[in-house]
C-alpha cells in the first residue's frame, strides 16, 4: 500500500539555521498514509536535522510541520502516543532480557498486558530469547528497537538508519518486519544511506540536497525506463555496423555477448525492426531501469555515491 490516503507528515517551508549555516532550506515534503517513504541525502544534506525537527528535538528557524494533522513542534505531545521511533543507536538496559526491557518500557506506557509483550516479541522474532541485551547482536538490537517502537500500536513509524551496521541476514530480517508492518496499516518514514535496500522496500522517496528537497515521488515513476536498452543479437559484425550507422542510436557499449544502447524510448521499436530487416537475429531486447544510485547522481550532479550508498548524517 502506498500514497493511498491523507497526508500523515507534511512540512511547510521548514527551515533551520545554525549561526551562519543554513542546514535545512524551505523544506516542503508530504508523506501519505500507507507510504514507505525513504528520506535520502548525502552527509550534511540536512536529513537528520529535519528528523529532529519532526520529533520536536530541534525548533525550526522558520516554517512548521504537521504530523497526523497536528502542528509540530507546538502540539506534538498530542500525537506522540500514535508515533513509534527507532533511532540509529537504540538504548536498552543491557543486564535485562528483551522481554524484561519491553515489560519495563511497556509499564511506562501503561501497557500491562503480558500477551501484548509476547505478541510484539513474536512479531520481531525474539520470542523465547533468554539472552540479556548485552549479549544481543546488532540485528537483534534493531529488532528489539522495532518491537519497542511498535508496542503501543503506532500509526506512524519513524526509522533512522534501520539497517545500519547489519549483516545481510539482519538487513533481510528488518526489511521483512518493515514490509509486514506496512501491510498491517503502519505508515513508515525512514532515512537510509543504503540505496539498494531502500529501492527494494520504499514506495516513495524524497531527496534532500544542500538543505533543499530536490525530488519527491513514487519510486516506480522516478526509476521508470529511460534511454537505455540491453540487446542480445548476432552476428556481431552486422550488429556493430547497424549501430554505428544508425542516427537514432545515441551511443552504445559492448559487454561480452550483449550491447548496451542509448536511444530514445520512442525509437526502440524502429531500431528492432531495422536490425531484423538487416538480417540480424535479435534474441533479447530489455529496457534498463535506473537505480536509485543512478537517479541520485543524475539529479545532484555529484559522484559521491560509493558502492550503492549515500553517506548518512
Amino acid at each position: 500500500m502506498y500514497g493511498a490516503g491523507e497526508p500523515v507528515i507534511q512540512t511547510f517551508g521548514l527551515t533551520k539555521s545554525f549561526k551562519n549555516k543554513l542546514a535545512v532550506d524551505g523544506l516542503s515534503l508530504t508523506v501519505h498514509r500507507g507510504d514507505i517513504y525513504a528520506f535520502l541525502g548525502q552527509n550534511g544534506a540536512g536529513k537528520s536535522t529535519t528528523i529532529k525537527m519532526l520529533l520536536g528535538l530541534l525548533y525550526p528557524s522558520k516554517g512548521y510541520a504537521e504530523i497526523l494533522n497536528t502542528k509540530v513542534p507546538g502540539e506534538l505531545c498530542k500525537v506522540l502516543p500514535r508515533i513509534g521511533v527507532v533511532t540509529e543507536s537504540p538504548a536498552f538496559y543491557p543486564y535485562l532480557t528483551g522481554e524484561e526491557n519491553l515489560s519495563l518500557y511497556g509499564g511506562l506506557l501503561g501497557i500491562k498486558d503480558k500477551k501484548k509483550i509476547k505478541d510484539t516479541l513474536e512479531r520481531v522474532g525474539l520470542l523465547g530469547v533468554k539472552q540479556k541485551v548485552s549479549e544481543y547482536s546488532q540485528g537483534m538490537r534493531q529488532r528489539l528497537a522495532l518491537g519497542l517502537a511498535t508496542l503501543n500500536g503506532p500509526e506512524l513509524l519513524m526509522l533512522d538508519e534501520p539497517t545500519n551496521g547489519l549483516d545481510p541476514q539482519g538487513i533481510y530480517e528488518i526489511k521483512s518486519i518493515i514490509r509486514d508492518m506496512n501491510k498491517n496499516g503502519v505508515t513508515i518514514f525512514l532515512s537510509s544511506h543504503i540505496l539498494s535496500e531502500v529501492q527494494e522496500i520504499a514506495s516513495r522517496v524524497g531527496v534532500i540536497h544542500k538543505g533543499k528537497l530536490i525530488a519527491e515521488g513514487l519510486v516506480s515513476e522516478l526509476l521508470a525506463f529511460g534511454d537505455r536498452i540491453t540487446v542480445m543479437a548476432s552476428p556481431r559484425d552486422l550488429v556493430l555496423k547497424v549501430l554505428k550507422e544508425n542516427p537514432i542510436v545515441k551511443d552504445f557499449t559492448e559487454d561480452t555477448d550483449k550491447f548496451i544502447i542509448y536511444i530514445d524510448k520512442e525509437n526502440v521499436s524502429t531500431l528492432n525492426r531495422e536490425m531484423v530487416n538487416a538480417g540480424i537475429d535479435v534474441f533479447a531486447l530489455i529496457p534498463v531501469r535506473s537505480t536509485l544510485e543512478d537517479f541520485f547522481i543524475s539529479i545532484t550532479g555529484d559522484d559521491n555515491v560509493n558502492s550503492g550508498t549515500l553517506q548518512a548524517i
Side-chain angles (χ1 to χ4, degrees):
M1 72 188 280
Y2 57 83
E6 62 180 345
V8 172
I9 299 175
Q10 282 187 293
T11 65
F12 302 88
L14 201 62
T15 301
K16 183 62 179 179
S17 298
F18 296 98
K19 294 183 179 179
N20 296 323
K21 177 177 173 55
L22 188 60
V24 177
D25 185 5
L27 186 71
S28 296
L29 61 79
T30 303
V31 179
H32 297 287
R33 188 173 297 279
D35 279 343
I36 299 180
Y37 185 106
F39 192 45
L40 310 177
Q42 289 180 328
N43 184 33
K47 181 158 52 73
S48 287
T49 300
T50 300
I51 292 172
K52 289 175 181 176
M53 286 191 285
L54 292 176
L55 294 174
L57 301 175
L58 285 175
Y59 272 66
S61 304
K62 288 194 300 185
Y64 67 99
E66 288 185 357
I67 298 180
L68 298 169
N69 296 315
T70 300
K71 192 171 181 179
V72 175
E75 301 176 322
L76 181 62
C77 60
K78 294 181 180 179
V79 293
L80 276 178
R82 299 160 63 189
I83 303 171
V85 178
V86 176
T87 61
E88 186 176 355
S89 302
F92 297 99
Y93 290 99
Y95 52 85
L96 299 179
T97 66
E99 183 173 351
E100 289 169 340
N101 267 278
L102 289 194
S103 295
L104 177 62
Y105 284 115
L108 297 175
L109 294 170
I111 298 171
K112 299 179 180 179
D113 185 355
K114 291 188 176 181
K115 184 178 184 302
K116 192 166 188 177
I117 301 294
K118 292 187 181 296
D119 288 346
T120 299
L121 288 167
E122 184 175 16
R123 184 171 64 247
V124 297
L126 293 174
L127 183 63
V129 175
K130 302 300 183 183
Q131 294 168 269
K132 295 179 179 180
V133 171
S134 61
E135 300 170 350
Y136 274 21
S137 67
Q138 183 63 22
M140 292 170 72
R141 286 175 179 268
Q142 286 296 94
R143 283 188 278 145
L144 183 60
L146 280 171
L148 175 58
T150 57
L151 195 56
N152 61 338
E155 300 173 39
L156 170 65
L157 187 59
M158 301 181 69
L159 309 175
D160 188 9
E161 304 293 344
T163 60
N164 193 39
L166 301 187
D167 60 20
Q169 180 62 30
I171 291 173
Y172 175 81
E173 291 169 353
I174 296 300
K175 287 192 301 184
S176 296
I177 293 170
I178 290 172
R179 287 193 186 103
D180 288 344
M181 289 179 177
N182 184 246
K183 287 178 182 177
N184 288 320
V186 181
T187 301
I188 312 289
F189 178 88
L190 65 91
S191 69
S192 181
H193 64 283
I194 307 178
L195 296 186
S196 59
E197 304 302 338
V198 167
Q199 187 169 332
E200 288 185 22
I201 63 172
S203 55
R204 296 180 67 240
V205 299
V207 180
I208 186 172
H209 186 61
K210 297 180 180 178
K212 293 180 177 290
L213 189 73
I214 59 172
E216 184 181 56
L218 293 170
V219 173
S220 58
E221 293 178 356
L222 295 177
L223 305 186
F225 165 50
D227 62 352
R228 287 182 297 162
I229 57 172
T230 296
V231 171
M232 299 181 66
S234 67
R236 173 179 176 274
D237 291 345
L238 193 51
V239 174
L240 288 172
K241 182 176 185 297
V242 170
L243 294 180
K244 289 177 180 178
E245 296 177 356
N246 200 317
I248 65 176
V249 175
K250 298 178 181 179
D251 196 7
F252 70 91
T253 58
E254 188 175 3
D255 183 8
T256 58
D257 62 341
K258 58 182 180 291
F259 300 87
I260 309 298
I261 301 171
Y262 293 80
I263 184 173
D264 291 333
K265 58 184 177 182
E266 58 268 23
N267 291 327
V268 171
S269 60
T270 301
L271 177 63
N272 182 51
R273 183 168 57 251
E274 292 180 1
M275 293 175 75
V276 171
N277 290 340
I280 295 170
D281 293 322
V282 180
F283 306 112
L285 191 154
I286 308 167
V288 177
R289 285 175 57 88
S290 296
T291 65
L292 272 179
E293 177 183 347
D294 296 331
F295 177 72
F296 182 87
I297 293 173
S298 71
I299 62 173
T300 63
D302 291 335
D303 58 2
N304 297 322
V305 181
N306 181 30
S307 302
T309 66
L310 294 177
Q311 298 246 337
I313 298 175

